[in-house]
Amino acid sequence: MQNTAAPTPTHCPYCALQCGMNLTPVEGGTVEVSERVDFPVNRGALCGKGRTAPAVLAPGARLTSPLVRSEEGVLVPAGWDEALDRIAGNLARTRARSGADALGVFGGGGLTNEKAYALGKFARVVLGTSQIDYNGRFCMSSAAAAGTKAFGLDRGLPFPLEDIPRTGCVILVGSNPAETMPPSLRYFTELRENGGTLIVVDPRRTRTAEQADLHLAPRPGTDLALALGMLHLVVAEGRVDEEYVEERTSGWEDARAAAMAHWPEYVERITGVSVPELREAVRLFCAPRAAMVLTARGPEQQAKGTDTVGAWINLCLATGRAGRPLSGYGCLTGQGNGQGGREHGQKADQLPGYRKLTDPAARRHVAGVWGVDPDSLPGPGRSAYELLDALGTDIRSLLVMGSNPVVSAPRAAHVEERLRSLDFLAVCDVVLSETAALADVVLPVTQWAEETGTTTNLEGRVLLRRRAITPPEGVRSDLEVLHELAGRLGVEKGFPTEPEEVFDELRRASAGGPADYSGIDYRRLAEENGVFWPCPAPTDEATEAANRHPGTPRLFLDRFATDDGRARFVPVTHRPSAEEPDDEYPVLLTTGRVVAQYQSGAQTRRVDELNAAAPGPFVELHPRLAARLGAAEGDPVAVVSRRGRAVAPARITPGIRPDTVFMPFHWPGEGRANTLTNPALDPTSRMPEFKVCAVRVEAVDAVEAVEAR
């Protein structure tokens, strides 16, 4: 029988591209994906993750009943009232016994704007705790901090993706979009077809690096020195845009002096990038009238990530490549709602609208929308890793929504121990993740195709995801969960369950803030295929249609978001990574993603097609390192750091530096890469140093190999 249901236009649940797709219901309670060519970001293209996303909607792949831990210590099905009562009762007892800050909340960068907003409000109004943060802290917090310092505002990309093919040169630092967001690769391909050049900075020769005109392969942890070396050459070769620097920036002299201490030969010794390569990169970047620098997790997930991104921004400012058409610095956000997720209150130090929690005016405005006393709002709490590290000591009970830190957090085995030490753990998720498996109560919640809500993609484009099918019986939305818990904890009003009602309140809370959504509504999002923030509401409601703000696809063309409208140079200098190689740990480990899996793999590891393409972890190493170990392709090898040990098959390639190994981080168990990673934190962003730590690599004997399998 042919399905005649009209397809529902919506968006992919995975990365920050938020690709458009059409969904048509099919038998079995799931949907069929088809192209949606009208959405400008992906123009119909989808990667394997997007095409197979409906597989996780199937009843066998996901949770359909609340689970509670029995007296025997196992998770068993339960009714919703029992599960919610148990959560509310434990949270109330912890607060009465140990105070509000003994309660923790950990959110996710995949939550819709409505959920992120409601979760932040729930933590601060219902629980009264300051201890809330989210896994987006691990995504692009360093870029956010550097962008705010330089420009006065953080939005991942200050221009739409469509500008990339029209610029003259792009430096792509620590990003592999060919695997992490494949539909975006067309923008870089079109750039080169149009005569532009692509420079890729990555210690590995990735699929993206293979497309580049110039590939720079620095030693992990030295991106800061590389950017400073390029700025040194810009000055030495007379390539500074003096007029732009004079008219649109401040702080140049100090930044210039810092860069001049990083002469090319010195930078070559630090990075391993030769002086001729440095000079060629500067020439390619400065030759066209317009150019861009785009960063991702490579330079950002370091204990000096904010300074590293700041150095790349300084390069843009010195050459006049920011706040001009087809030029600028941008960050490629990773998680599906990584941008919106940090704008509306689930981050430890922020209120909705990207307001600062420490700003009295911001507190008054948001408290007015929420109907509470500004003095009742707690202050800033711990950052993500610091919050996780405090579990079982200062924080006794934790609510997790949309995150799997057992796999995704740095020093993951330690984080798992901290989770196990809690008095009480509740998890809301669509699947029984490794974190959910440790919980006292697990609540099954709706997924992308079963609910309506908004997300904000890497361009700052606010989008409407539409509900295409009814969720299975026994599954509720996160908004319903927060409504029910708030009521049980004595707050009867203020937590609606309808997403559009939540979004309308979010609009009011964000009004006048840096991320102003007040001029955006669901109707506009449906009609316009998304709206770029900031988008303030018109002041005259009588003529709203004529006066409504068009949104802001391109930021900073007239002025920067600082008090005086000028961009700020921030002087930075190179410093070593928090953990450098030594005799005991002589090799550097860096981590990342592969094309067929996503983040902690909690959902993608349940899709047969994706598992066939990427069945498990591996250790990528250079042939010279493999020869020293006596390891052949596919042999199990152990990677050991000061924090733990991981075992996975060797993948031998000349496309990685001989002093470096790479592991993807999607899997738990023996190959859990984040068992190894270093939680050293950036002093500004509190970003952990995922991208570089000292390790040794060991051959694994046959007995241990069998045990590992």
Side-chain angles (χ1 to χ4, degrees), residues 251-283:
W252 167 234
E253 289 305 319
D254 288 342
R256 177 186 182 278
M260 295 313 288
H262 298 76
W263 59 94
E265 292 77 10
Y266 172 57
V267 169
E268 181 181 60
R269 290 199 301 272
I270 294 171
T271 65
V273 176
S274 70
V275 172
E277 288 177 311
L278 283 172
R279 293 189 184 280
E280 178 65 0
V282 170
R283 185 189 70 79

Side-chain angles (χ1 to χ4, degrees), residues 106-109 124 130 132-145 297 300-302 306 335 338 341-342 346-350 380-388 403 410 681-690:
F106 200 81
R124 295 180 174 103
S130 66
I132 174 172
D133 210 78
Y134 80 126
N135 63 17
R137 175 79 67 171
F138 302 154
C139 179
M140 55 176 292
S141 57
S142 293
R297 306 302 80 75
E300 298 163 19
Q301 287 182 328
Q302 299 183 31
T306 302
Q335 293 191 79
R342 70 180 181 280
Q346 64 173 332
K347 193 162 173 274
D349 56 352
Q350 287 178 195
R382 293 175 172 88
S383 70
Y385 179 77
E386 291 167 304
L387 188 157
L388 295 171
S403 186
L681 302 180
D682 181 288
T684 302
S685 68
R686 316 307 289 168
M687 167 72 84
E689 192 153 70
F690 286 100

Side-chain angles (χ1 to χ4, degrees), residues 65-66 78-85 443-445 474-477 481 488:
S65 170
W80 271 93
D81 283 339
E82 179 186 352
L84 290 166
D85 287 346
L443 299 180
V445 291
V475 174
R476 299 185 185 181
S477 75
V481 168
R488 284 167 167 79

